[in-house]
Amino acid sequence: DAGVTQSPTHLIKTRGQQVTLRCSPKSGHDTVSWYQQALGQGPQFIFQYYEEEERQRGNFPDRFSGHQFPNYSSELNVNALLLGDSALYLCASSLGHQGETQYFGPGTRLLVL
Amino acid sequence: AQSVTQPDIHITVSEGASLELRCNYSYGATPYLFWYVQSPGQGLQLLLKYFSGDTLVQGIKGFEAEFKRSQSSFNLRKPSVHWSDAAEYFCAVGAGLTGGGNKLTFGTGTQLKVEL
């Protein structure tokens, strides 16, 4: 049973660039949530996708956007990168979008120079 | 708004000793509560969860946690720590089936060091 997978594992970008991160949910799951974890901090909720729509959003600017595909996989896009966007980006999947248990992927480590 | 406090940033215990990691939450209704563990450079692994019912929940790797509504706490315990338990531990609160979606709010984590 495949768990949550994310790609790439590491990424280096420069300020002002754009980045796309990808996530495939655990088999049978239909909801994907994205979190940002800065060094030494707990994960912060970015947004959640269900039925290809953004259902809930945390306190992140519009530079952060996403998409969910019909096969439930998801992308996180960040435009106009800032140094402060350097973090571990975690994807979590669940069956359902109303409080069900979330299972996390290994994350993508983004470094912005 | 929901919030989580993990008062201990670092904890060091000897292998074989007991462990308790503290977690206090703030949420207006009955919360969903979780403990996750994160090894260096890795994602989060679910240790256990509380949704309802018995307030003492058992998890993987010999961990347990007790939900105390009166104290707004959900402390994690293990009777005998193994060196492989060294990692960072996160407590999280969710809105549950109240229409609050899947948003989890995490504490800042407790780094556990195990001395041999």
Side-chain angles (χ1 to χ4, degrees):
Chain A
D1 179 17
V4 180
T5 60
Q6 293 186 242
S7 63
T9 56
H10 295 82
L11 205 51
I12 299 175
K13 293 286 188 178
T14 57
R15 280 179 299 174
Q17 285 189 311
Q18 179 263 344
V19 68
T20 298
L21 311 181
R22 295 175 177 82
C23 171
S24 291
K26 182 178 169 66
S27 178
H29 285 185
D30 58 6
T31 301
V32 172
S33 300
W34 287 92
Y35 292 80
Q36 180 196 65
Q37 185 180 19
L39 201 61
Q41 300 296 315
Q44 300 283 323
F45 177 78
I46 303 174
F47 43 53
Q48 170 201 80
Y49 277 84
Y50 173 72
E51 291 186 335
E52 302 181 47
E53 290 186 12
E54 183 182 295
R55 298 288 178 160
Q56 196 178 16
R57 188 178 183 93
N59 189 26
F60 279 80
D62 292 345
R63 298 187 298 108
F64 289 78
S65 64
H67 188 77
Q68 186 179 36
F69 299 93
N71 67 353
Y72 308 120
S73 66
S74 176
E75 288 182 349
L76 164 65
N77 300 292
V78 187
N79 295 321
L81 284 167
L82 304 174
L83 296 180
D85 295 332
S86 296
L88 180 67
Y89 288 85
L90 295 164
C91 169
S93 74
S94 60
L95 177 59
H97 67 296
Q98 295 291 355
E100 293 79 0
T101 302
Q102 294 177 56
Y103 295 88
F104 284 79
T108 294
R109 175 75 62 185
L110 173 64
L111 177 61
V112 183
L113 302 176
Chain B
Q2 55 204 58
S3 67
V4 174
T5 301
Q6 293 181 248
D8 304 305
I9 299 174
H10 296 96
I11 283 185
T12 300
V13 299
S14 299
E15 189 176 36
S18 63
L19 172 70
E20 182 169 28
L21 302 183
R22 295 183 291 165
C23 171
N24 292 98
Y25 69 90
S26 174
Y27 185 66
T30 300
Y32 280 16
L33 294 162
F34 305 83
W35 275 98
Y36 287 88
V37 61
Q38 185 176 39
S39 297
Q42 301 297 311
L44 301 174
Q45 181 182 21
L46 178 68
L47 284 176
L48 47 78
K49 61 188 178 186
Y50 172 78
F51 282 5
S52 65
D54 192 347
T55 56
L56 183 64
V57 293
Q58 303 296 320
I60 62 170
K61 304 184 179 186
F63 286 93
E64 67 178 25
E66 186 171 12
F67 171 60
K68 293 185 177 180
R69 185 187 301 275
S70 61
Q71 298 178 21
S72 297
S73 69
F74 189 57
N75 294 347
L76 182 71
R77 300 193 295 250
K78 186 170 185 178
S80 178
V81 170
H82 188 262
W83 64 267
S84 60
D85 293 325
E88 187 145 29
Y89 291 79
F90 291 96
C91 179
V93 62
L97 297 177
T98 58
N102 261 7
K103 173 185 176 181
L104 290 180
T105 299
F106 286 84
T108 51
T110 297
Q111 185 70 47
L112 174 65
K113 180 180 176 181
V114 180
E115 290 183 333
L116 301 176

